[in-house]
Amino acid sequence: MFKKILIANRGEIALRVIRTCKEMGIRTVAVYSTADKESLHVRFADEAVCIGPPSSSESYLSITKIMAAVEITNADAVHPGYGFLAENADFAEVCEEYGVKFIGPSAQMIRMMGDKITAKETMIKAKVPVVPGSAGQVKSVKEGLKAAKKIGFPVILKATAGGGGKGMRIVDNEEEFGEQLEKAQIEAGASFGNDAMYMEKFVEEPRHIEIQVIGDQYGNVAHLSERDCSVQRRHQKLVEESPSPFMDDKLRDKMGKAAIKAAKAIDYEGVGTVEFLVDKNRKFYFMEMNTRIQVEHTVTEEVINRDLIKEQIKVAAGEKISGKNYYPTMHAIEVRINAEDPYHDFRPSPGLITSFHSSKGHGVRVDTHAYAGYTVPPYYDSMIAKLICVAETREECILKMQRALDEFIVEGIKTTVPFHQQLMKDERFRNGDVTTKFLEDFELKP
Ligand code: MV4
């Protein structure tokens, strides 16, 4: 087992990893920017190294600075968390070369899933269902238009270097195709330094259902059931739950098997997530694979009663998994509490938290790095807490969430709490009738 893990991240996930390390008897190293010196991850780690100014590119995204911190603290493993360098193949490669274990998959696995055309080709070979579309890259308007007519409009153009909604364009008809392709290419080139695009049939009003998987270093892969993340706003997830209200045993079995096939196709090691689009006829299609621990892993933890960070560290250290799949025994919902003003287009609301009372009680979990007197810096992601409720049924879970939201008090800044309070009362949400389009029609009352 590792003796000392450096956590190359900040905020609640850094704290989350530190907690499990402590329980496992592993020493921890926090890294922090000058904007985060008062953060709890710095206080709770055994050691802490300042790696630079507030700007991410000069701190949490700097491979050089992080490797210097690894060097001076003599850490034998690095936990990347989510975001920042978590899916940076170059970083994983530098760790490999330096002989420090990157807690996650190999650089090669990250690269294969990071390039969406390669990922999709890999899935087609592995017989995992994908959305019908262009075979590989759309190189010209002429060629693309021919393919689009065959697929049938509407189609969606996606950047191979994109993911998570960046660099996507929906095209409704032939007339728009050329213009949209050119615009998308320019955008992708500017954002990712790679303008390669591919095309798919546009699936209308899909659900976003993802399967959590875990693979060890000996080729064993198991699935840990699904999370439904259909409640999103501009590709930002706001609510996640497990089990999905849309799921049944038969579909779970099929999607679970497909997710295992997907992971096995690249000999996957670590915890990962296979994202699917699911249409109204219960047809599901591979969308992308996330090669990291995700924000919403906590929902799975609550319904299967396992510590996923612990499992992740164990497989990274070379332990074998049992190979059995896990199924939800409870219902869990997570809401993201962001330092944002939901009444003003979710604009960021950083600043001093003057009072902070997080919900407590049976079936309530709050993962947060915030506290009264903490200043939310304006430089990073706005999530300040995850509120997770667990109960026997979805109905009870929603009631518990309402109670927990009522006692979540944050003063000094604006948060997404009022949004979640209204969402929990929404008829469609309560019926589990949510697709990725749901929030477009949702109106916040004053
Ligand atoms: C799609 C789609 C419909 N049809 N692909 C958005 C994020 C990126 N991972 C892929 N996304 C989508 N791909 C086809 N062929 C609709 C979306 C999509 C979406 C997906 C999941 C969650 C929220 C979304 C919001 C808008 C569009």
Side-chain angles (χ1 to χ4, degrees):
M1 187 40 73
F2 308 117
K3 291 195 170 56
K4 195 191 267 190
I5 295 178
L6 180 140
I7 299 109
N9 215 301
R10 62 178 299 281
E12 71 84 20
I13 191 63
L15 200 51
R16 170 74 194 82
V17 175
I18 289 168
R19 286 180 170 141
T20 290
C21 288
K22 280 200 176 164
E23 293 170 17
M24 295 177 80
I26 300 168
R27 286 184 61 80
T28 51
V29 181
V31 294
Y32 63 99
S33 75
T34 52
D36 276 340
K37 65 175 186 297
E38 303 301 330
S39 190
L40 287 187
H41 79 282
V42 176
R43 192 157 347 151
F44 291 160
D46 295 307
E47 294 170 66
V49 182
C50 180
I51 52 167
S55 152
S56 299
S57 60
E58 293 176 81
S59 54
Y60 301 106
L61 283 173
S62 167
I63 295 175
T64 320
K65 298 261 185 71
I66 287 166
M67 293 316 288
V70 168
E71 169 98 52
I72 60 169
T73 56
N74 212 14
D76 53 0
V78 172
H79 195 299
Y82 51 68
F84 296 119
L85 297 171
E87 287 171 293
N88 185 310
D90 294 338
F91 180 53
E93 199 162 76
V94 170
C95 290
E96 282 163 27
E97 280 162 10
Y98 190 81
V100 54
K101 176 63 187 172
F102 175 85
I103 300 176
S106 68
Q108 199 205 341
M109 296 171 198
I110 297 173
R111 267 195 199 106
M112 280 187 80
M113 292 300 114
D115 183 278
K116 306 303 170 195
I117 292 177
T118 308
K120 201 170 168 184
E121 281 169 353
T122 307
M123 294 310 147
I124 294 168
K125 273 195 212 123
K127 298 196 161 58
V128 174
V130 299
V131 188
S134 61
Q137 194 185 338
V138 177
K139 291 201 178 101
S140 67
V141 176
K142 190 164 165 250
E143 185 195 284
L145 198 54
K146 200 174 136 200
K149 282 191 210 160
K150 220 169 126 193
I151 298 163
F153 287 95
V155 296
I156 183 167
L157 292 164
K158 298 182 178 182
T160 190
K166 275 178 277 173
M168 291 184 350
R169 291 280 169 138
I170 300 161
V171 191
D172 289 317
N173 52 54
E174 275 177 51
E175 290 69 46
E176 287 173 23
F177 188 85
E179 191 190 329
Q180 292 292 355
L181 178 64
E182 270 160 39
K183 277 189 180 159
Q185 281 173 327
I186 291 168
E187 232 174 69
S191 317
F192 315 115
N194 176 354
D195 70 358
M197 305 294 300
Y198 65 108
M199 180 173 38
E200 291 180 344
K201 172 85 187 160
F202 180 65
V203 181
E204 316 243 10
E205 301 199 31
R207 280 164 211 264
H208 172 132
I209 300 179
E210 54 187 35
I211 305 282
Q212 176 73 54
V213 294
I214 182 165
D216 66 18
Q217 296 173 0
Y218 314 95
N220 305 302
V221 179
H223 80 73
L224 313 178
S225 297
E226 80 282 2
R227 294 183 288 260
D228 194 315
C229 311
S230 298
V231 181
Q232 308 198 359
R233 186 183 171 275
R234 300 192 185 155
H235 305 294
Q236 288 288 83
K237 293 171 186 163
L238 282 160
V239 179
E240 300 100 346
E241 65 180 304
S242 183
S244 165
F246 195 64
M247 192 56 75
D248 58 44
D249 292 347
K250 199 173 134 204
L251 182 60
R252 180 177 295 116
D253 184 57
K254 282 207 276 185
M255 290 180 69
K257 282 187 172 132
I260 290 175
K261 251 198 258 175
K264 282 195 170 166
I266 58 163
D267 241 327
Y268 193 73
E269 176 207 324
V271 296
T273 301
V274 186
E275 293 185 350
F276 294 99
L277 289 174
V278 184
D279 72 15
K280 57 181 186 303
N281 303 315
R282 298 185 179 270
K283 278 198 149 177
F284 63 89
Y285 310 94
F286 170 86
M287 194 164 41
E288 39 194 84
M289 179 166 185
N290 300 319
T291 56
R292 60 171 190 278
I293 190 82
Q294 287 181 284
V295 174
E296 62 270 27
H297 75 277
T298 37
V299 160
T300 300
E301 291 188 324
E302 294 306 314
V303 296
I304 68 168
N305 205 20
R306 316 233 36 119
D307 177 339
L308 286 194
I309 304 290
K310 189 171 181 180
E311 300 304 321
Q312 185 186 28
I313 293 171
K314 283 187 345 193
V315 296
E319 279 193 31
K320 268 203 178 94
I321 61 165
S322 77
K324 71 171 195 225
N325 302 323
Y326 282 83
Y327 298 92
T329 59
M330 298 291 276
H331 196 98
I333 300 177
E334 167 177 281
V335 301
R336 297 191 189 192
I337 314 249
N338 298 337
E340 292 170 359
D341 183 354
Y343 295 103
H344 291 94
D345 208 32
F346 291 81
R347 72 175 174 216
S349 179
L352 176 67
I353 296 177
T354 52
S355 93
F356 190 85
H357 178 271
S358 72
S359 325
K360 295 172 176 77
H362 184 232
V364 176
R365 168 175 174 184
V366 177
D367 277 23
T368 182
H369 60 294
Y371 53 88
Y374 174 71
T375 298
V376 180
Y379 312 103
Y380 314 109
D381 188 87
S382 63
M383 193 177 74
I384 55 162
K386 304 189 295 204
L387 167 58
I388 307 106
C389 288
V390 58
E392 274 194 33
T393 65
R394 186 170 191 267
E395 291 68 35
E396 287 175 292
C397 195
I398 291 172
L399 293 171
K400 194 182 282 286
M401 182 62 83
Q402 288 180 296
R403 181 280 276 175
L405 282 164
D406 287 346
E407 58 183 65
F408 205 114
I409 303 190
V410 184
E411 284 168 342
I413 59 165
K414 299 274 193 289
T415 75
T416 47
V417 167
F419 163 82
H420 291 303
Q421 285 176 309
Q422 289 192 30
L423 179 70
M424 291 301 136
K425 289 189 199 137
D426 183 87
E427 172 94 9
R428 282 184 58 197
F429 179 79
R430 291 180 90 104
N431 290 330
D433 175 22
V434 283
T435 70
T436 54
K437 220 171 156 275
F438 169 72
L439 281 190
E440 287 176 28
D441 315 318
F442 182 79
E443 290 202 28
L444 206 63
K445 294 178 209 79

